[in-house]
Amino acid sequence: MKPAIIFEFSKEFLERFKQALDLRDNAFVEESLKGVNAADISAFLDEFDHVECKYILGLLDVDLAANVINDLDEDIRDKFLETFETNEIAGIVDHLETDDGADILYELDPEEREEVIRSMDNEEKARNILELLDYKEDIAGGLMAKELIKANLNW
């Protein structure tokens, strides 16, 4: 297991990071966020506008980017998702657990929600999310995940 990287940034680092964004210094941005957990990146994104955030997320591994978006405060995530195309949201949801994907889709209007589900690559996950969306988001059925693990009792 990799040791956790403690992510702290100074005013100087923030200025250098913003400069790297302006210069499209992808290597600096990627190296600066390498090994940083999704929650810390989500908090760090508060320093940037939606266009910059989308650019930063585009440089991250897709699984990490999906988890960063999932970790954003719901109000911020709602505004942030407005900058994404339907197929981009579908790509994010494809890389999340079904319950987290359903949480994001609850925030969209019904037409956009259906379009996102139709755009998803993982048809099984899309079906599972549709099942979760049949429940209200704050009751047990809407909170559960559809993923299941099977293990031998003797393991």
Side-chain angles (χ1 to χ4, degrees):
M1 178 180 234
K2 290 182 182 180
I5 292 179
I6 298 173
F7 184 68
E8 295 182 33
F9 63 93
S10 63
K11 181 179 177 184
E12 293 79 23
F13 172 76
L14 182 59
E15 288 173 9
R16 172 63 182 104
F17 196 92
K18 287 183 177 187
Q19 181 183 38
L21 288 179
D22 291 341
L23 298 172
R24 297 298 193 230
D25 184 352
N26 296 353
F28 179 84
V29 172
E30 290 170 354
E31 188 61 32
S32 296
L33 298 177
K34 189 176 186 177
V36 178
N37 70 46
D40 287 339
I41 295 173
S42 296
F44 183 59
L45 291 182
D46 287 341
E47 300 294 326
F48 304 96
D49 65 34
H50 297 310
V51 174
E52 292 169 324
C53 290
K54 190 173 179 182
Y55 179 77
I56 293 165
L57 290 171
L59 297 175
L60 300 176
D61 170 77
V62 68
D63 288 324
L64 178 59
N67 284 310
V68 168
I69 291 169
N70 188 52
D71 281 345
L72 291 171
D73 179 67
E74 192 174 313
D75 294 334
I76 294 169
R77 184 173 56 217
D78 288 348
K79 291 179 180 157
F80 187 69
L81 287 174
E82 291 174 7
T83 67
F84 282 83
E85 299 293 325
T86 302
N87 63 327
E88 293 172 313
I89 297 171
I92 292 164
V93 173
D94 266 329
H95 287 87
L96 292 172
E97 299 293 326
T98 54
D99 58 327
D100 293 331
D103 289 345
I104 287 176
L105 293 181
Y106 277 123
E107 299 168 19
L108 304 176
D109 64 64
E111 289 175 8
E112 187 176 15
R113 184 182 310 146
E114 289 190 21
E115 192 175 332
V116 167
I117 290 171
R118 282 193 305 271
S119 299
M120 289 176 64
D121 291 333
N122 187 330
E123 292 179 18
E124 181 181 2
K125 185 173 278 187
R127 279 192 306 275
N128 288 335
I129 289 174
L130 273 173
E131 287 178 28
L132 292 177
L133 291 172
D134 284 340
Y135 298 95
K136 291 184 180 182
E137 83 178 290
D138 57 350
I139 64 168
L143 297 172
M144 66 184 177
K146 297 291 288 185
E147 289 79 18
L148 174 69
I149 186 166
K150 183 178 178 181
N152 185 315
L153 183 61
N154 297 320
W155 288 349

